[in-house]
Structure formats: C-alpha cells, structure tokens
Amino acid sequence: MVLPAHGGQPDRIITSLGVEAKGHVYDFSANINPVGPPAWLSEELPRLMNEAEHYPDPQYTAAYDALSEREMVAQKQLLLTNGGAEAIFLTAQLFQGKKALIIDPTFSEYERACRAFGIDVTHLRLDQDFQFPFEEMAQALSDVDVVFLCRPNNPTGTLLSITDVEYLLKIGMATGTAVVVDEAFVHFLLMEDSSVKRLLDFYSNLIILRSLTKIYAIPGLRAGYVIASENLIAKLQEKQPPWSVNGITAALLPALLSDKAYVIETKRWLGGEQKKLAKELSALGFFHTLSCTNFYLLKDEERPEDTDELFRFLVANNIIPRHTDNFTGLDGRFLRFAVRTMQENDYLLHVLKKWREKAC
Ligand SMILES: Cc1ncc(COP(=O)(O)O)c(C=O)c1O
C-alpha cells in the first residue's frame, strides 16, 4: 500500500486503502487553518485578475512594505518566497555539498532539500517523550554546517523553547554552524512574543523560515518568507528564480497581514478546541502529544500495535488522518490529526469512542 507523502490528499488515501467512504469526508490530514481563508478573499480574488495578466513587480514593493511593518524587521532582512517550501529549498542551497543535522521525527522536506543539494545529513532522534537530545546535539553541531529545527515541530506539535534555541545558536556561533528555525506554524501559538525573531540582533547564524499558507488557509496560492541577517538574505536572493511569488499573492499580502481580527478569531477557536481534545482524548485512553499548535500525534495506549487497523477504521468512517510512515522515528506507530472545527473534532471523538467500544 503506497500512501501519499504529504497530507491533504483524502481521495488518494481512500483509493490506496480500497475503502468505500460514503458521504462527507473529514480531512484531518492537512494542518491548515479550518477558520479560513478570510471571508473577504473570495470577493477580492476576482478583482485581482489583472495581476495574472502581467509580471509581478520584481521588487514586490507593497508586499515587502507590509511584511516589514508586520514583522518590525528591516526589509533587507526579509525574503518573500513561494511558500515555506521554497524558503526551505533556497536555504538548503546555501549549504550545497556541505553537512547538515536533522532531528527526527520532523518535516520530511528538510531531508529532501538536503538531498537535492548534495548535503550530507546526520540524524539524531527526539527521545521517547519527544524531547530534544541537547547533549548529543551540542556535540554534533561541531561537525555540521547547518542544523534544521522545526518550532513548533511537525509532526509532534511540541515547542522548542527560545532559551533552548539560543543555547544552540551560541554553540553554532562558535562552531560556524547556521541554525535554521522553521516557524511555519508559529502564527498559531497562543502566547505573545512566541518567535525566536528577537534573537536575530545577537546571532548572525540564525535563519528563520515562515509560511503564510497554513495560518491563512491558502496552500494553493503559496506564500512564505525568510527572516535572517542582511548578508544571508542577499545570498538567498541571488539564488531565487525571478517572479517566484505570483502577483496575486503579492497583491493580497498587505490585506492578509493587516487582518488582525482573523488571527484573533483563529486563536479563539484553537484555544477552545485544544483544551477540549486534550481532555476528551485522555479520558478515552488515547495518548496524544501536548501540542501547542493546530495538530497533534495520537496513539491508542490500550492497543498500541493496532495503529494500521485504527487508520482503516477511521477512513471507513470518513475520517482521514495523516499516516506517519514517512516520519523517521515514528514509522507509522502514531497518527497525526489536524485540530479542525468544533463539529469535526466532535465527530472524530465520536468515532474514536466507537473504536473503543468495538474493542470491548
Ligand atoms: C514545518 C513545515 N514547514 C514548511 C511547510 C511548507 O509550507 P508551505 O505550504 O508554505 O510551502 C510545511 C508544510 O506542510 C511544514 O509542515
């Protein structure tokens, strides 16, 4: 059975399993904001047809103005990208032919980007409680040119603290190692001042990657950016293809970035659902990671060997989780779920209850 490498492909999962799903399918496999896209977007998009008819402004002036204002970072420290994915691949290209460190399980595209640019990858593992192996990491840094960190981490949803990132940055400054921090999901964090951005003034080896496709639910439009020192941004810019970001996305960015009400609404939804899910899943006897973002890992503590069967059961009940077969270190032993709307999460809890009752 060949399952897709990324979430958001429910039809392919259903076909691969040969399960007959009838009625509405609930896609928990893609960790996209279920609140969005912002309501005004559907009115705005037809008006932007003219942006499709000519090349985007090569300087992306309005988009950079808005991004710089929102991030409170100089424009020369920003690079607009075609999603977080382009930010990852451009960054990896900086280290072509060199050595990288990846801590598994994490987002699979770091490895793929490293392979694409002939980078030799050393792997370490999170421990059983999904904590980072700091001692081993500190040692490994002296042998590599770059380390890829994901915060919050996909697929665990857990968060490396800013203090811990600073500890690694300090070592990296001494060993000549760049620290890449992928903050694709940072916009979902409920606490204030949640980014490692404030360390930029002190550590020239810090490269922050961001995605806007998750929070604004626009994976088809694509939007992301890099925040780093002027020097690193200039190097990345040299490697970026022209007009990489499409004109429609660029034209939308100022309005997206200034829509504070949308982000407040997102956090209100997430805070409530996170709390409910944590309580109910534990009560049903399911292990789940203590996620601070919009997805979490789950395993049936009472039937830990039956994850494949649980996967099939959920799909047969129109719920599509994200398998973890291609997350090194998880190897299919967990399932990843997006935090969806209240109704969808309630349906998931209902089906998990059925699974539990079935086993009794
Ligand atoms: C951790 C992480 N970084 C980056 C990306 C890519 O984001 P984008 O859709 O903006 O390319 C993803 C997508 O799943 C992700 O999980």
PDB file of all heavy atoms in Angstrom, residues 23-48:
ATOM      1  N   GLY A  23     -20.520   9.676   1.585  1.00  0.00           N
ATOM      2  CA  GLY A  23     -20.894  10.923   2.237  1.00  0.00           C
ATOM      3  C   GLY A  23     -19.700  11.838   2.439  1.00  0.00           C
ATOM      4  O   GLY A  23     -18.657  11.691   1.799  1.00  0.00           O
ATOM      5  N   HIS A  24     -19.872  12.788   3.362  1.00  0.00           N
ATOM      6  CA  HIS A  24     -18.855  13.823   3.562  1.00  0.00           C
ATOM      7  C   HIS A  24     -17.577  13.232   4.160  1.00  0.00           C
ATOM      8  O   HIS A  24     -17.622  12.470   5.111  1.00  0.00           O
ATOM      9  CB  HIS A  24     -19.407  14.905   4.491  1.00  0.00           C
ATOM     10  CG  HIS A  24     -18.422  16.007   4.735  1.00  0.00           C
ATOM     11  ND1 HIS A  24     -18.140  16.963   3.796  1.00  0.00           N
ATOM     12  CD2 HIS A  24     -17.630  16.283   5.801  1.00  0.00           C
ATOM     13  CE1 HIS A  24     -17.225  17.779   4.262  1.00  0.00           C
ATOM     14  NE2 HIS A  24     -16.898  17.401   5.489  1.00  0.00           N
ATOM     15  N   VAL A  25     -16.444  13.584   3.575  1.00  0.00           N
ATOM     16  CA  VAL A  25     -15.152  13.113   4.092  1.00  0.00           C
ATOM     17  C   VAL A  25     -14.530  14.218   4.944  1.00  0.00           C
ATOM     18  O   VAL A  25     -14.488  15.375   4.539  1.00  0.00           O
ATOM     19  CB  VAL A  25     -14.225  12.718   2.914  1.00  0.00           C
ATOM     20  CG1 VAL A  25     -12.810  12.471   3.400  1.00  0.00           C
ATOM     21  CG2 VAL A  25     -14.771  11.477   2.219  1.00  0.00           C
ATOM     22  N   TYR A  26     -14.067  13.852   6.137  1.00  0.00           N
ATOM     23  CA  TYR A  26     -13.466  14.813   7.065  1.00  0.00           C
ATOM     24  C   TYR A  26     -11.951  14.694   6.956  1.00  0.00           C
ATOM     25  O   TYR A  26     -11.372  13.689   7.375  1.00  0.00           O
ATOM     26  CB  TYR A  26     -13.904  14.517   8.507  1.00  0.00           C
ATOM     27  CG  TYR A  26     -15.388  14.651   8.720  1.00  0.00           C
ATOM     28  CD1 TYR A  26     -16.259  13.610   8.381  1.00  0.00           C
ATOM     29  CD2 TYR A  26     -15.924  15.821   9.248  1.00  0.00           C
ATOM     30  CE1 TYR A  26     -17.623  13.732   8.567  1.00  0.00           C
ATOM     31  CE2 TYR A  26     -17.293  15.964   9.440  1.00  0.00           C
ATOM     32  CZ  TYR A  26     -18.132  14.914   9.096  1.00  0.00           C
ATOM     33  OH  TYR A  26     -19.483  15.032   9.274  1.00  0.00           O
ATOM     34  N   ASP A  27     -11.333  15.720   6.394  1.00  0.00           N
ATOM     35  CA  ASP A  27      -9.884  15.639   6.167  1.00  0.00           C
ATOM     36  C   ASP A  27      -9.114  16.226   7.356  1.00  0.00           C
ATOM     37  O   ASP A  27      -9.002  17.445   7.502  1.00  0.00           O
ATOM     38  CB  ASP A  27      -9.512  16.376   4.870  1.00  0.00           C
ATOM     39  CG  ASP A  27      -8.043  16.216   4.544  1.00  0.00           C
ATOM     40  OD1 ASP A  27      -7.371  15.384   5.202  1.00  0.00           O
ATOM     41  OD2 ASP A  27      -7.557  16.911   3.633  1.00  0.00           O
ATOM     42  N   PHE A  28      -8.579  15.330   8.170  1.00  0.00           N
ATOM     43  CA  PHE A  28      -7.747  15.745   9.316  1.00  0.00           C
ATOM     44  C   PHE A  28      -6.260  15.639   8.972  1.00  0.00           C
ATOM     45  O   PHE A  28      -5.413  15.770   9.842  1.00  0.00           O
ATOM     46  CB  PHE A  28      -8.032  14.850  10.537  1.00  0.00           C
ATOM     47  CG  PHE A  28      -9.326  15.160  11.234  1.00  0.00           C
ATOM     48  CD1 PHE A  28     -10.534  14.695  10.751  1.00  0.00           C
ATOM     49  CD2 PHE A  28      -9.335  15.919  12.392  1.00  0.00           C
ATOM     50  CE1 PHE A  28     -11.733  14.979  11.394  1.00  0.00           C
ATOM     51  CE2 PHE A  28     -10.529  16.212  13.050  1.00  0.00           C
ATOM     52  CZ  PHE A  28     -11.730  15.737  12.544  1.00  0.00           C
ATOM     53  N   SER A  29      -5.951  15.365   7.707  1.00  0.00           N
ATOM     54  CA  SER A  29      -4.556  15.072   7.372  1.00  0.00           C
ATOM     55  C   SER A  29      -3.724  16.307   7.053  1.00  0.00           C
ATOM     56  O   SER A  29      -2.502  16.272   7.153  1.00  0.00           O
ATOM     57  CB  SER A  29      -4.502  14.099   6.189  1.00  0.00           C
ATOM     58  OG  SER A  29      -4.933  14.742   5.008  1.00  0.00           O
ATOM     59  N   ALA A  30      -4.371  17.413   6.654  1.00  0.00           N
ATOM     60  CA  ALA A  30      -3.616  18.637   6.324  1.00  0.00           C
ATOM     61  C   ALA A  30      -3.776  19.625   7.464  1.00  0.00           C
ATOM     62  O   ALA A  30      -4.895  19.884   7.903  1.00  0.00           O
ATOM     63  CB  ALA A  30      -4.138  19.239   5.027  1.00  0.00           C
ATOM     64  N   ASN A  31      -2.659  20.177   7.941  1.00  0.00           N
ATOM     65  CA  ASN A  31      -2.753  21.088   9.097  1.00  0.00           C
ATOM     66  C   ASN A  31      -2.942  22.543   8.667  1.00  0.00           C
ATOM     67  O   ASN A  31      -2.098  23.392   8.887  1.00  0.00           O
ATOM     68  CB  ASN A  31      -1.533  20.924  10.012  1.00  0.00           C
ATOM     69  CG  ASN A  31      -0.289  20.574   9.228  1.00  0.00           C
ATOM     70  OD1 ASN A  31      -0.210  20.879   8.048  1.00  0.00           O
ATOM     71  ND2 ASN A  31       0.675  19.950   9.870  1.00  0.00           N
ATOM     72  N   ILE A  32      -4.079  22.760   8.027  1.00  0.00           N
ATOM     73  CA  ILE A  32      -4.452  24.082   7.505  1.00  0.00           C
ATOM     74  C   ILE A  32      -5.531  24.667   8.413  1.00  0.00           C
ATOM     75  O   ILE A  32      -6.389  23.935   8.907  1.00  0.00           O
ATOM     76  CB  ILE A  32      -5.039  23.917   6.078  1.00  0.00           C
ATOM     77  CG1 ILE A  32      -4.005  23.296   5.117  1.00  0.00           C
ATOM     78  CG2 ILE A  32      -5.572  25.222   5.524  1.00  0.00           C
ATOM     79  CD1 ILE A  32      -2.835  24.169   4.794  1.00  0.00           C
ATOM     80  N   ASN A  33      -5.504  25.982   8.594  1.00  0.00           N
ATOM     81  CA  ASN A  33      -6.485  26.653   9.462  1.00  0.00           C
ATOM     82  C   ASN A  33      -7.927  26.402   8.971  1.00  0.00           C
ATOM     83  O   ASN A  33      -8.294  26.831   7.874  1.00  0.00           O
ATOM     84  CB  ASN A  33      -6.182  28.155   9.429  1.00  0.00           C
ATOM     85  CG  ASN A  33      -6.988  28.916  10.447  1.00  0.00           C
ATOM     86  OD1 ASN A  33      -7.922  28.385  11.023  1.00  0.00           O
ATOM     87  ND2 ASN A  33      -6.611  30.166  10.675  1.00  0.00           N
ATOM     88  N   PRO A  34      -8.767  25.726   9.776  1.00  0.00           N
ATOM     89  CA  PRO A  34     -10.136  25.458   9.317  1.00  0.00           C
ATOM     90  C   PRO A  34     -11.051  26.682   9.396  1.00  0.00           C
ATOM     91  O   PRO A  34     -12.163  26.656   8.887  1.00  0.00           O
ATOM     92  CB  PRO A  34     -10.616  24.368  10.289  1.00  0.00           C
ATOM     93  CG  PRO A  34      -9.847  24.590  11.523  1.00  0.00           C
ATOM     94  CD  PRO A  34      -8.520  25.158  11.114  1.00  0.00           C
ATOM     95  N   VAL A  35     -10.562  27.765  10.003  1.00  0.00           N
ATOM     96  CA  VAL A  35     -11.363  29.003  10.075  1.00  0.00           C
ATOM     97  C   VAL A  35     -11.414  29.670   8.697  1.00  0.00           C
ATOM     98  O   VAL A  35     -12.388  30.304   8.326  1.00  0.00           O
ATOM     99  CB  VAL A  35     -10.742  29.989  11.095  1.00  0.00           C
ATOM    100  CG1 VAL A  35     -11.417  31.356  11.039  1.00  0.00           C
ATOM    101  CG2 VAL A  35     -10.808  29.410  12.504  1.00  0.00           C
ATOM    102  N   GLY A  36     -10.377  29.516   7.941  1.00  0.00           N
ATOM    103  CA  GLY A  36     -10.199  30.336   6.747  1.00  0.00           C
ATOM    104  C   GLY A  36     -10.513  29.656   5.450  1.00  0.00           C
ATOM    105  O   GLY A  36     -11.076  28.588   5.475  1.00  0.00           O
ATOM    106  N   PRO A  37     -10.105  30.294   4.334  1.00  0.00           N
ATOM    107  CA  PRO A  37      -9.429  31.582   4.223  1.00  0.00           C
ATOM    108  C   PRO A  37     -10.301  32.752   4.686  1.00  0.00           C
ATOM    109  O   PRO A  37     -11.535  32.575   4.798  1.00  0.00           O
ATOM    110  CB  PRO A  37      -9.134  31.723   2.735  1.00  0.00           C
ATOM    111  CG  PRO A  37      -9.594  30.476   2.090  1.00  0.00           C
ATOM    112  CD  PRO A  37     -10.339  29.650   3.057  1.00  0.00           C
ATOM    113  N   PRO A  38      -9.705  33.928   4.969  1.00  0.00           N
ATOM    114  CA  PRO A  38     -10.511  35.068   5.394  1.00  0.00           C
ATOM    115  C   PRO A  38     -11.685  35.290   4.436  1.00  0.00           C
ATOM    116  O   PRO A  38     -11.517  35.178   3.216  1.00  0.00           O
ATOM    117  CB  PRO A  38      -9.533  36.244   5.346  1.00  0.00           C
ATOM    118  CG  PRO A  38      -8.181  35.631   5.488  1.00  0.00           C
ATOM    119  CD  PRO A  38      -8.269  34.270   4.851  1.00  0.00           C
ATOM    120  N   ALA A  39     -12.845  35.625   4.997  1.00  0.00           N
ATOM    121  CA  ALA A  39     -14.077  35.694   4.189  1.00  0.00           C
ATOM    122  C   ALA A  39     -13.958  36.667   3.019  1.00  0.00           C
ATOM    123  O   ALA A  39     -14.486  36.409   1.932  1.00  0.00           O
ATOM    124  CB  ALA A  39     -15.243  36.079   5.094  1.00  0.00           C
ATOM    125  N   TRP A  40     -13.231  37.774   3.213  1.00  0.00           N
ATOM    126  CA  TRP A  40     -13.156  38.799   2.157  1.00  0.00           C
ATOM    127  C   TRP A  40     -12.372  38.333   0.933  1.00  0.00           C
ATOM    128  O   TRP A  40     -12.455  38.926  -0.136  1.00  0.00           O
ATOM    129  CB  TRP A  40     -12.552  40.100   2.702  1.00  0.00           C
ATOM    130  CG  TRP A  40     -11.240  39.929   3.435  1.00  0.00           C
ATOM    131  CD1 TRP A  40     -11.070  39.814   4.775  1.00  0.00           C
ATOM    132  CD2 TRP A  40      -9.929  39.838   2.856  1.00  0.00           C
ATOM    133  NE1 TRP A  40      -9.736  39.656   5.076  1.00  0.00           N
ATOM    134  CE2 TRP A  40      -9.011  39.674   3.915  1.00  0.00           C
ATOM    135  CE3 TRP A  40      -9.432  39.871   1.546  1.00  0.00           C
ATOM    136  CZ2 TRP A  40      -7.645  39.543   3.708  1.00  0.00           C
ATOM    137  CZ3 TRP A  40      -8.063  39.746   1.339  1.00  0.00           C
ATOM    138  CH2 TRP A  40      -7.182  39.582   2.420  1.00  0.00           C
ATOM    139  N   LEU A  41     -11.630  37.224   1.079  1.00  0.00           N
ATOM    140  CA  LEU A  41     -10.744  36.776  -0.002  1.00  0.00           C
ATOM    141  C   LEU A  41     -11.521  36.384  -1.268  1.00  0.00           C
ATOM    142  O   LEU A  41     -11.100  36.680  -2.382  1.00  0.00           O
ATOM    143  CB  LEU A  41      -9.904  35.597   0.494  1.00  0.00           C
ATOM    144  CG  LEU A  41      -8.639  35.293  -0.264  1.00  0.00           C
ATOM    145  CD1 LEU A  41      -7.650  36.441  -0.184  1.00  0.00           C
ATOM    146  CD2 LEU A  41      -7.982  34.033   0.292  1.00  0.00           C
ATOM    147  N   SER A  42     -12.676  35.747  -1.076  1.00  0.00           N
ATOM    148  CA  SER A  42     -13.422  35.290  -2.259  1.00  0.00           C
ATOM    149  C   SER A  42     -13.961  36.481  -3.058  1.00  0.00           C
ATOM    150  O   SER A  42     -14.148  36.384  -4.270  1.00  0.00           O
ATOM    151  CB  SER A  42     -14.546  34.344  -1.861  1.00  0.00           C
ATOM    152  OG  SER A  42     -15.341  34.947  -0.893  1.00  0.00           O
ATOM    153  N   GLU A  43     -14.194  37.612  -2.393  1.00  0.00           N
ATOM    154  CA  GLU A  43     -14.624  38.814  -3.142  1.00  0.00           C
ATOM    155  C   GLU A  43     -13.426  39.477  -3.807  1.00  0.00           C
ATOM    156  O   GLU A  43     -13.523  40.017  -4.901  1.00  0.00           O
ATOM    157  CB  GLU A  43     -15.247  39.830  -2.175  1.00  0.00           C
ATOM    158  CG  GLU A  43     -16.691  39.561  -1.875  1.00  0.00           C
ATOM    159  CD  GLU A  43     -17.228  40.522  -0.841  1.00  0.00           C
ATOM    160  OE1 GLU A  43     -16.836  41.697  -0.837  1.00  0.00           O
ATOM    161  OE2 GLU A  43     -18.028  40.057  -0.012  1.00  0.00           O
ATOM    162  N   GLU A  44     -12.309  39.432  -3.121  1.00  0.00           N
ATOM    163  CA  GLU A  44     -11.107  40.135  -3.585  1.00  0.00           C
ATOM    164  C   GLU A  44     -10.465  39.438  -4.788  1.00  0.00           C
ATOM    165  O   GLU A  44      -9.996  40.100  -5.710  1.00  0.00           O
ATOM    166  CB  GLU A  44     -10.114  40.208  -2.415  1.00  0.00           C
ATOM    167  CG  GLU A  44      -9.068  41.274  -2.491  1.00  0.00           C
ATOM    168  CD  GLU A  44      -9.627  42.689  -2.662  1.00  0.00           C
ATOM    169  OE1 GLU A  44     -10.717  43.000  -2.114  1.00  0.00           O
ATOM    170  OE2 GLU A  44      -8.983  43.450  -3.370  1.00  0.00           O
ATOM    171  N   LEU A  45     -10.482  38.107  -4.778  1.00  0.00           N
ATOM    172  CA  LEU A  45      -9.741  37.361  -5.813  1.00  0.00           C
ATOM    173  C   LEU A  45     -10.150  37.704  -7.256  1.00  0.00           C
ATOM    174  O   LEU A  45      -9.278  37.965  -8.085  1.00  0.00           O
ATOM    175  CB  LEU A  45      -9.855  35.856  -5.567  1.00  0.00           C
ATOM    176  CG  LEU A  45      -8.808  35.279  -4.617  1.00  0.00           C
ATOM    177  CD1 LEU A  45      -9.073  33.804  -4.341  1.00  0.00           C
ATOM    178  CD2 LEU A  45      -7.391  35.447  -5.178  1.00  0.00           C
ATOM    179  N   PRO A  46     -11.468  37.754  -7.577  1.00  0.00           N
ATOM    180  CA  PRO A  46     -11.826  38.088  -8.967  1.00  0.00           C
ATOM    181  C   PRO A  46     -11.306  39.466  -9.388  1.00  0.00           C
ATOM    182  O   PRO A  46     -10.951  39.677 -10.542  1.00  0.00           O
ATOM    183  CB  PRO A  46     -13.363  38.072  -8.957  1.00  0.00           C
ATOM    184  CG  PRO A  46     -13.736  37.295  -7.739  1.00  0.00           C
ATOM    185  CD  PRO A  46     -12.634  37.466  -6.751  1.00  0.00           C
ATOM    186  N   ARG A  47     -11.208  40.376  -8.405  1.00  0.00           N
ATOM    187  CA  ARG A  47     -10.719  41.723  -8.728  1.00  0.00           C
ATOM    188  C   ARG A  47      -9.226  41.721  -9.072  1.00  0.00           C
ATOM    189  O   ARG A  47      -8.704  42.695  -9.595  1.00  0.00           O
ATOM    190  CB  ARG A  47     -10.942  42.654  -7.515  1.00  0.00           C
ATOM    191  CG  ARG A  47     -12.379  43.132  -7.391  1.00  0.00           C
ATOM    192  CD  ARG A  47     -12.430  44.435  -6.608  1.00  0.00           C
ATOM    193  NE  ARG A  47     -12.471  44.194  -5.176  1.00  0.00           N
ATOM    194  CZ  ARG A  47     -13.592  44.094  -4.491  1.00  0.00           C
ATOM    195  NH1 ARG A  47     -14.750  44.226  -5.100  1.00  0.00           N
ATOM    196  NH2 ARG A  47     -13.568  43.876  -3.204  1.00  0.00           N
ATOM    197  N   LEU A  48      -8.555  40.619  -8.737  1.00  0.00           N
ATOM    198  CA  LEU A  48      -7.104  40.580  -8.940  1.00  0.00           C
ATOM    199  C   LEU A  48      -6.711  39.901 -10.255  1.00  0.00           C
ATOM    200  O   LEU A  48      -5.544  39.604 -10.478  1.00  0.00           O
ATOM    201  CB  LEU A  48      -6.435  39.864  -7.752  1.00  0.00           C
ATOM    202  CG  LEU A  48      -6.501  40.642  -6.437  1.00  0.00           C
ATOM    203  CD1 LEU A  48      -5.972  39.797  -5.291  1.00  0.00           C
ATOM    204  CD2 LEU A  48      -5.713  41.933  -6.537  1.00  0.00           C
TER     205      LEU A  48
END
